Structure formats: C-alpha cells, structure tokens
C-alpha cells in the first residue's frame, strides 16, 4: 500500500508540476487533482479487469503486464496453475484406485450413513443386478431383497459373513446352478459401510463333492465289511464242517479282496491328483502295452465267462508312446477290463492302436456289449458313477476305473472319447497328442 500511495503521490505531483508549469499556479492544482483522479480511474479499471477475469476464467488472465496488477495477475495465475495440477493429480490417483477396485474379482459396494449406494464396482453390480449409475444413492436393501441379506444389513453385527444367491440377471438365468455369494460388511468412517462380496459357488461345489465322496467311500467299504462281519459271526457261532468252512472262508476272501481293490483304486486316484504330470522323455512301445493288456484280458475273460469272449488285438502302426508306463498300462487295461466285464460271454471285444493322419495316436476298445444310454455317457467318469451297480460289483468293479482313466488321460494330454448305442455296444478310445507318439525304433514281430 505505501508503494501505491507513493506512486499515486509521485504521479499527481508530476502531473501537478507539469500543469503548474503550463497553466501557472492558479490552474496547476486543478491539473494535479485531475491527474490523480485519472490515475485512480485507470487503476480501478485494471483492478476491475482482473476481478472480471477471475470471476469467469482464470486462464484468461492477462500475461505479465506492467506494475502491481501485472505481478498480481502473474502470481494468481501461478497459484491457480499449481492448484489445478494438484487437483488433476489427485483425480488421476482416484481414478487409478477405482480402476484397481474395478479389476477385483470381488464385488465392492460403498454405502453412506443411510445405507444408500455411494459407489460400486462392476463385479458387485453384476452380482446384484445393480446399475452402477442409475441406482446410485438408492437404498441397497431395496434393491437386494434376499431376507437373509436384508436382516444381516440391518443387524449391524458384521462379525461373520452372510451367504446368498446372486440376483443379477447374468448370474441366475443362464446358469444351471445359482451363483452363491459370500457377503461381508465392514463398517468404516463412523456409520459408513463397505460390502465385500465373493463368489463361492466353486467352493461350495467342491465342498459338496468332498462330502459325497466321503459318503460314497464309506458306503463302498461298509458293504463288504458288513458281509465279512456276518461270516465271522457265523464261523464263531455255528459248528461247521470242513467243506462249509472252506466255502465261507473263500467268500470272506472275496470280500476282503474287494475292499483291497477299492483302497488301491482310491490310493491310485489320490496319487494321480497329487503328483506332477509325467514328463515326455520316457517312451514305451505300444506292442508291450498291448501284450500286457492281452494277458490280463484273456485271464479276466476266462474267469468271468465260461464261453469267454472273442478278443482281438491289432496294431496298425508300430509306435511308441511317451509318458508314465504304469499309468498308461493302467488306463488301457481299465478300458479293456470294462469291455470284458460288461459284455456277456461270447461277445466280441476288439482292441486296436492306430496313428491318425494328423499324427495323433488312438487306442480303442470296441465291444458288442449292452451299450450305454446317451444320458449316462457324460457322467461315466465321475467317481462311483455306475449304470448297473450290481453288475459292476459282481465283476469286481469299484466305480473308480473310468475316473482313473480320465485322470491319466488328462495328465498325458490325451482325450477320452466314448461312443455308444444301447444294444449295439460301446467304443472307448484314448487319443494321444502327436507330440507323445512316434514310430517305434526297432520293429519287432
Ligand atoms: N464297455 C462298457 N460297456 C457298458 N458299460 C460300461 C462299459 N464301460 C463302463 N461302463 C459303465 O460305466 C460305469 C463306470 O465304469 P468304471 O468307472 O470303470 O467303474 P466300474 O468299476 O463299475 O467298472 C460302469 O459301472 C458301467 O456301468
Ligand atoms: Mg471299471
């Protein structure tokens, strides 16, 4: 201010002195005052201009002009520029932060003190069928009507989560199973709440499968165990002659053998699940694998059917297969033993190996058995899934064979193909990728 007053004084003195010089003392003072008023008017005009620009648009500030107003506008301009930059940076950070939450596979919803939606990510919007823009500031309890959820939200006791069905359109209609959501609320900043949702469908399904599996195993073991216990009781309580004893003991042997097979299959499965996939460096000749199959097959056929089966084994191209020998043998024998066990005596079972035009190798077992209805086919590889339970049991099946085959196939990158028609027989094939098949080095008879 002193600077301004000084400027004002000096200017009016200068103009005054000039005026005195020209007009003499009489009109000189008048001139000085006129000058001062003019100066003031000019000053006011420049201040007004600055104010006007500030009111409307800071970018329109005059670039550095002369004097105080020039400096003032320059400083304001700089301050505003810094502030603008800060705001932009903060905005960018916020956007990045929101993008990160958007990318989360979990749903996130922020509620204000009244329980209205302040923000939600796409995942949550999809799960609840909320429109992230249209439903803003709507009460969440009005949009998600699940009674368990509404009660949970109103309870203000969020020590545990609540599990509900997803209600979003994409999450219910197009799927056979409803999507299950675990929702947990976390209060923050006083009465605000953050909802986190997690899709636990797969988790629940895995849990259900585990329960089924345990129930199945228990059931499978209990059956022979009950029979065994019955025989033990008979042996203890009844006086039996040597022949009867032998017969009973043979039956007991059968039951314990059944349990043993089951436990072995279970162990095989868990080994397959728990170990790394076999490397591609070990090569086994198809002829050797098929020879073993033939041995086992003829033995089984002879035991099961007095007539036996017409078994044939053909190899189109002498090849080698890479993988784990015991696993490959087990998968191939499993398919053959099924064909023999489910095809009545006198039927035909043809085992073949061929290399397809694209280099893949196919091991196939074709039988003239009862065939399998289409609805069963997709489920055959499920553990303990059997079409004819008693036939499976009678012939020593555990219901785990095809589950094991499927696992082994997957580990070798192979595909299990099942074709069947009721009354016509079935064809089970394992198609191995070309990378695991090569021509046999040494040709043997
Ligand atoms: N070649 C086949 N012909 C008819 N049914 C078959 C054949 N192979 C498998 N199945 C059916 O698939 C079911 C599952 O087979 P698998 O997993 O090997 O168990 P299992 O121990 O009962 O043989 C069998 O119980 C049987 O009903
Ligand atoms: Mg089987």
């Amino acid at each position: 201010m002193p600077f301004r007053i000084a400027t004002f004084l000096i200017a009016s003195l200068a103009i005054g002195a000039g005026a005195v010089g020209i007009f003499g003392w009489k009109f000189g003072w008048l001139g000085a005052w006129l000058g001062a008023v003019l100066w003031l008017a000019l000053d006011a005009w420049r201040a007004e201009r600055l104010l006007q620009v500030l009111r409307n648009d800071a970018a329109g500030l005059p670039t550095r002009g002369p004097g105080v107003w020039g400096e003032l506008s320059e400083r304001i301009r700089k301050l505003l520029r810094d502030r603008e930059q800060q705001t932009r940076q903060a905005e960018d950070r916020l956007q990045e932060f929101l993008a990160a939450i958007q990318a989360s596979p979990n749903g996130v919803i922020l509620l204000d003190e009244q329980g209205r939606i302040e923000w939600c990510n796409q995942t949550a919007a999809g799960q609840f069928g909320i429109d992230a823009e249209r439903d803003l500031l709507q009460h969440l309890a009005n949009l998600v009507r699940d009674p368990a959820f509404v009660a949970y939200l109103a309870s203000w006791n969020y020590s545990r989560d609540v599990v509900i069905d997803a209600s979003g359109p994409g999450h219910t209609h197009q799927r056979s199973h409803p999507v299950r959501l675990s929702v947990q609320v976390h209060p923050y900043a006083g009465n605000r709440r953050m909802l986190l949702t997690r899709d636990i469908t797969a988790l629940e399904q895995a849990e259900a499968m585990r329960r089924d599996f345990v129930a199945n195993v228990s059931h499978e073991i209990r059956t022979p165990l009950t029979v065994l216990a019955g025989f033990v009781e008979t042996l203890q309580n009844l006086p039996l002659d040597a022949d009867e004893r032998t017969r009973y003991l043979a039956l007991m042997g059968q039951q314990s053998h059944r349990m043993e097979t089951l436990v072995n299959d279970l162990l095989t499965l868990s080994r397959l699940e728990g170990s790394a996939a076999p490397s591609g460096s070990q090569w086994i000749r198809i002829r050797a694998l098929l020879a073993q199959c033939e041995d086992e097959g003829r033995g089984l056929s002879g035991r099961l059917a007095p007539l036996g089966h017409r078994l044939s084994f053909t190899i189109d191209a002498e090849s080698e297969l890479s993988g784990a020998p015991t696993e490959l043998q087990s998968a191939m024998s499993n398919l053959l033993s099924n064909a023999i066990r489910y095809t009545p005596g006198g039927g035909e079972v043809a085992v073949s190996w061929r290399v397809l035009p694209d280099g893949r190798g196919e091991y196939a077992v074709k039988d003239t058995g009862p065939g399998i209805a289409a609805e069963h086919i997709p489920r055959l590889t499920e553990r303990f899934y059997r079409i004819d339970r008693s036939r499976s049991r009678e012939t020593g099946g555990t219901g785990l064979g095809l589950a094991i085959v499927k696992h082994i196939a997957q580990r070798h990158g192979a595909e299990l193909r099942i074709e069947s028609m009721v009354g016509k027989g079935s064809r089970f094939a394992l198609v191995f990728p070309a990378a695991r098949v090569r021509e046999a080095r040494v040709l043997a008879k």
Side-chain angles (χ1 to χ4, degrees):
M1 203 35 127
F3 172 73
R4 291 208 50 214
I5 295 169
T7 330
F8 170 65
L9 281 177
I10 292 167
S12 29
L13 274 175
I15 297 171
V20 169
I22 297 167
F23 304 110
W25 283 102
K26 198 167 177 198
F27 294 105
W29 285 113
L30 191 67
W33 280 112
L34 220 68
V37 167
L38 241 152
W39 178 266
L40 260 181
L42 187 73
D43 223 30
W45 174 73
R46 285 170 73 181
E48 182 55 29
R49 202 163 70 115
L50 179 64
L51 265 177
Q52 216 162 42
V53 170
L54 275 179
R55 274 188 214 112
N56 301 327
D57 170 24
L61 278 180
T63 42
R64 180 154 195 149
V68 196
W69 294 114
E71 185 173 348
L72 205 60
S73 84
E74 184 63 22
R75 280 182 191 281
I76 293 176
R77 181 210 271 289
K78 192 168 170 310
L79 265 176
L80 286 173
R81 215 175 31 228
D82 289 353
R83 178 72 54 82
E84 216 169 74
Q85 203 176 348
Q86 274 169 10
T87 316
R88 228 187 351 256
Q89 276 170 358
E91 174 75 12
D92 284 355
R93 260 210 306 280
L94 179 67
Q95 286 309 328
E96 277 165 23
F97 191 63
L98 291 182
I101 304 180
Q102 282 292 10
S104 156
N106 295 341
V108 181
I109 303 180
L110 302 181
L111 299 182
D112 66 8
E113 282 95 343
Q114 279 85 45
R116 295 177 306 189
I117 303 171
E118 262 185 331
W119 187 85
C120 74
N121 70 354
Q122 280 305 322
T123 311
Q127 286 167 343
F128 287 127
I130 302 174
D131 187 321
E133 271 157 33
R134 188 197 61 212
D135 294 330
L136 227 55
L137 294 181
Q138 293 287 319
H139 285 274
L140 183 61
N142 291 341
L143 298 171
V144 181
R145 302 274 188 165
D146 189 299
F149 174 76
V150 174
Y152 174 71
L153 201 61
S155 73
W156 283 94
N157 172 11
Y158 306 127
S159 53
R160 47 161 205 93
D161 65 340
V162 63
V163 175
I164 59 171
D165 284 348
S167 49
H171 291 74
T172 47
H173 304 321
Q174 291 140 6
R175 302 208 194 182
S176 47
H177 296 289
V179 170
R180 300 281 288 160
L181 293 179
S182 150
V183 183
Q184 172 103 49
V185 172
H186 304 270
Y188 73 102
N191 277 344
R192 287 165 184 262
R193 283 168 289 179
M194 174 170 70
L195 258 90
L196 294 183
T197 69
R198 202 157 49 94
D199 185 338
I200 54 164
T201 319
L203 210 70
E204 284 201 340
Q205 272 168 6
E207 180 58 24
M209 262 171 73
R210 196 191 61 79
R211 270 198 307 271
D212 281 359
F213 183 67
V214 171
N216 274 323
V217 170
S218 313
H219 178 75
E220 293 291 330
I221 289 182
R222 196 175 53 197
T223 317
L225 209 54
T226 313
V227 180
L228 211 56
F231 284 136
V232 170
E233 215 179 295
T234 312
L235 284 174
Q236 280 170 336
N237 298 332
L238 293 180
L240 299 169
D241 61 31
D243 273 3
E244 279 172 324
R245 279 176 69 90
T246 319
R247 200 165 63 84
Y248 276 123
L249 287 173
L251 289 170
M252 287 168 75
Q254 254 177 31
Q255 296 304 318
S256 63
H257 179 67
R258 218 177 113 185
M259 280 165 58
E260 198 185 328
T261 321
L262 176 67
V263 171
N264 281 340
D265 277 1
L266 286 170
L267 287 175
T268 304
L269 259 183
S270 82
R271 247 196 317 273
L272 288 174
E273 281 177 341
S275 64
S279 78
S281 59
Q282 194 174 2
W283 294 86
I284 313 107
R285 294 199 26 229
I286 290 294
R287 192 161 282 280
L289 290 167
L290 253 61
Q292 170 95 23
C293 285
E294 185 164 356
D295 272 1
E296 290 175 10
R298 292 200 188 280
L300 182 65
S301 170
R303 275 202 303 284
L304 285 180
L307 281 173
H309 297 85
R310 279 172 290 152
L311 299 179
S312 67
F313 296 83
T314 51
I315 296 180
D316 252 19
E318 289 291 344
S319 330
E320 290 180 335
L321 199 54
S322 80
T326 46
E327 290 183 24
L328 293 171
Q329 187 67 64
S330 155
M332 290 176 167
S333 299
N334 243 307
L335 293 184
L336 176 57
S337 80
N338 275 351
I340 293 172
R341 287 191 296 114
Y342 298 110
T343 303
E348 218 177 298
V349 176
V351 178
S352 63
W353 169 263
R354 63 180 176 137
V355 176
L356 303 175
D358 60 7
R360 288 181 299 163
E362 184 197 62
Y363 167 87
V365 180
K366 194 169 181 305
D367 64 49
T368 56
I372 302 162
E375 73 262 25
H376 294 299
I377 291 182
R379 300 197 57 189
L380 288 184
T381 56
E382 286 174 23
R383 293 156 184 206
F384 299 114
Y385 189 85
R386 289 179 275 209
I387 302 165
D388 183 344
R389 215 159 255 280
S390 60
R391 172 91 193 145
S392 165
R393 290 240 176 82
E394 273 164 32
T395 57
T398 58
L400 294 173
L402 289 179
I404 292 175
V405 173
K406 187 185 167 192
H407 254 290
I408 295 174
Q410 275 172 353
R411 288 159 60 81
H412 287 80
E415 186 192 340
L416 171 63
R417 290 185 181 165
I418 307 173
E419 290 156 21
S420 189
M421 257 170 79
V422 177
K424 289 265 160 52
S426 320
R427 185 177 191 273
F428 286 73
L430 285 169
V431 181
F432 292 91
R436 286 198 178 267
V437 180
R438 75 177 184 196
E439 210 176 310
R441 291 266 170 78
V442 191
L443 287 182
K445 161 62 223 119

